[in-house]
Amino acid sequence: QVHLVESGGGLVQPGGSLRLSCAASGSALSFYTMGWYRQAPGKQRELVATITTGGNPNYIDAVKGRFTISRDNAKNTVYLQMNSLKPEDTAAYYCNARPAYSDVVVNYWGQGTQVTVSS
């Protein structure tokens, strides 16, 4: 029902910046809570940041002050600005969409974009 496509990943040096984009199709994102997750090789997928339908962001402690999640409902796109990147940020980053006003548990996922922080 909701198709998500991430982009913007790449190879950067420590201290560098990247901006990830999550473009949605099939449904408007206005009524979805959005999130970014990441998964390093051999590790479990972990939550990085979320943003409510009202635009209120939340972050895990590891990225506070460095990452910024935002959404543009007119463009049906969610962003993750990543600054002061560290090697431990290296992971595949995934976009997530969850209906905010539904009693049914549904999660939509993108296929991921790779972020590698290395010298």
Side-chain angles (χ1 to χ4, degrees):
Q1 187 173 1
V2 179
H3 182 59
L4 305 174
V5 179
E6 302 95 335
S7 63
L11 174 64
V12 297
Q13 296 186 16
S17 298
L18 286 173
R19 188 169 90 149
L20 307 183
S21 298
C22 173
S25 61
S27 182
L29 295 181
S30 301
F31 304 106
Y32 289 81
T33 299
M34 304 299 298
W36 285 96
Y37 290 70
R38 66 186 181 186
Q39 186 169 22
K43 305 295 183 180
Q44 291 187 328
R45 189 173 299 184
E46 68 170 347
L47 176 69
V48 176
T50 62
I51 186 167
T52 68
T53 56
N56 296 318
N58 290 281
Y59 308 92
I60 59 172
D61 289 340
V63 306
K64 284 183 178 179
R66 300 188 299 119
F67 290 11
T68 301
I69 187 172
S70 61
R71 65 192 300 162
D72 188 336
N73 290 337
K75 297 181 179 179
N76 227 29
T77 302
V78 178
Y79 306 94
L80 184 67
Q81 179 67 47
M82 305 185 296
N83 299 324
S84 302
L85 283 163
K86 305 175 180 179
E88 49 262 47
D89 295 318
T90 296
Y93 283 71
Y94 297 88
C95 183
N96 170 264
R98 183 183 308 114
Y101 311 108
S102 176
D103 198 29
V104 179
V105 178
V106 180
N107 281 278
Y108 299 94
W109 297 92
Q111 295 188 17
T113 183
Q114 180 66 37
V115 172
T116 302
V117 185
S118 176
S119 298

